[in-house]
Amino acid sequence: METTMNNLKLGLAGAGRMGTPMAKRLMAAGYGVSVYDTNTAAVEALAAQGAGKAATPAELAASCDVVLLSLPTPEIVQAVCLGPDGLASVKGARIVIDLSTTGPRTERLVAKGLKAAGIALADCPVSGGVGGAEKGTLAMMAACDDATMETIRPVLETLGKPVHVGQEPGMGQMIKVINNLMSVTALSIASEALVLGTKAGLDPDVMLEVINSGSGSSNATLTKIPKFVLTRGFDFGFAIGLSAKDIRLCLEESDALGVPMIVGGAVRQLLTVAKSDLGADADLTEIIKPIEGWAGVTVAGKKAQA
């Protein structure tokens, strides 16, 4: 990766599975990066590689021009931005880039609170998982005014491919939860189909070869199932609980807008069952396990069976 120095001082709130590789990419690109997280071990690990440390979101904002958020839930995003020691409680950062998936309603509320403190919010959820964060290939759905977009574009391009989807915070969140619903729907139906075929005596490896040569292929059959299900590794790196949260946010918006989502509702039911059976921290690709249990079969590739 080519190294370029930049005068913008960046802060990152959230040094988790996504935030940590993003912080590393930004530092490698020449940005000064300070980090806040309640997980002090994660902060110390980045500090050992040159990152600054902040004890609170307010301290982070006071030392930075732009703060990026990579946080797990809408409630945490709201607290980090608008809480007693939040980003909005001090003078400093003039732009917040929210890379989290909070849903449109929370994003609009946070944008209003930040605006009152003189801070612009760039609503910019991402897709591509940990691998995309490490490689700098994330899909980035930015919603903000044109001037803010031009200021932050070089930062976003260090992390992936930004698309300016609209002017108003909440619009990025809307396309993100739609994208996530479509993604987990593909994984759900592919899981059901492979369990059905296995029960009928078909070889899972052969089934995928046929499906991926035809019209039934998807990211689920091309990537998630061969890499994380047939291997029985289940280490895709995204939790069922977080996926359930994303689908809930999407269906809340569909209800508010009066748009029925019959298939989406069925996917939410399957996620609810998987979360109940396996726990919120189980890997999303384990969504196949309850279906396997009902059918009395295991979908495994030849290598996993060896």
Side-chain angles (χ1 to χ4, degrees):
M1 185 178 3
E2 183 179 351
T3 300
T4 57
M5 296 305 295
N6 196 296
N7 290 329
L8 278 179
K9 295 178 182 178
L10 304 182
L12 175 71
R17 292 177 63 89
M18 294 290 288
T20 292
M22 287 192 283
K24 291 178 180 179
R25 288 196 65 83
L26 292 168
M27 288 189 290
Y31 289 99
V33 179
S34 295
V35 182
Y36 163 76
D37 198 294
T38 54
N39 182 343
T40 55
V43 173
E44 291 297 338
L46 285 170
Q49 299 180 54
K53 298 184 290 185
T56 65
E59 185 177 315
L60 187 69
S63 64
C64 298
D65 303 307
V66 177
V67 174
L68 298 90
L69 309 179
S70 182
L71 300 167
T73 69
E75 294 77 15
I76 294 174
V77 169
Q78 190 170 340
V80 166
C81 289
L82 307 180
D85 287 318
L87 303 176
S89 67
V90 297
K91 296 294 182 183
R94 62 184 189 273
I95 298 173
V96 170
I97 305 172
D98 187 9
L99 307 170
S100 320
T101 302
T102 65
R105 293 187 208 181
T106 295
E107 201 73 358
R108 290 190 289 265
L109 185 153
V110 170
K112 183 178 180 181
L114 291 175
K115 185 177 181 180
I119 303 170
L121 176 65
D123 168 20
C124 188
V126 301
S127 181
V130 175
E134 292 171 344
K135 297 172 186 175
T137 59
L138 292 169
M140 315 191 78
M141 309 151 217
C144 56
D145 62 78
D146 292 335
T148 298
M149 186 65 195
E150 289 314 301
T151 299
I152 66 173
R153 186 180 293 277
V155 176
L156 301 183
E157 288 178 343
T158 302
L159 303 175
K161 182 182 178 181
V163 177
H164 195 190
V165 301
Q167 299 284 320
E168 299 297 327
M171 298 176 79
Q173 294 295 325
M174 192 72 247
I175 185 60
K176 173 61 189 297
V177 295
I178 289 171
N179 175 80
N180 280 17
L181 174 60
M182 294 178 68
S183 177
V184 74
T185 297
L187 178 62
S188 298
I189 192 60
S191 297
E192 288 186 342
L194 285 167
V195 169
L196 172 61
T198 301
K199 183 77 171 183
L202 291 168
D203 183 298
D205 291 305
V206 174
M207 279 192 283
L208 277 188
E209 182 179 355
V210 172
I211 291 167
N212 287 333
S213 298
S215 59
S217 65
S218 66
N219 178 265
T221 62
L222 289 166
T223 302
K224 294 187 183 74
I225 287 177
K227 287 187 176 181
F228 309 110
V229 176
L230 294 193
T231 62
R232 307 307 288 181
F234 300 111
D235 52 355
F236 172 58
F238 191 70
I240 280 178
L242 291 177
S243 183
K245 178 260 298 183
D246 293 350
I247 302 318
R248 171 180 59 80
L249 293 171
C250 186
L251 296 186
E252 285 176 355
E253 290 301 312
S254 74
D255 287 343
L257 295 170
V259 179
M261 302 197 78
I262 297 167
V263 175
V267 172
R268 183 179 185 180
Q269 287 183 323
L270 180 57
L271 274 170
T272 299
V273 169
K275 180 181 173 182
S276 175
D277 285 359
L278 305 170
D281 293 332
D283 195 84
L284 176 59
T285 54
E286 293 182 79
I287 197 172
I288 196 171
K289 287 185 175 180
I291 310 168
E292 291 176 326
W294 299 328
V297 298
T298 298
V299 179
K302 290 184 177 67
K303 291 182 180 179
Q305 295 173 11

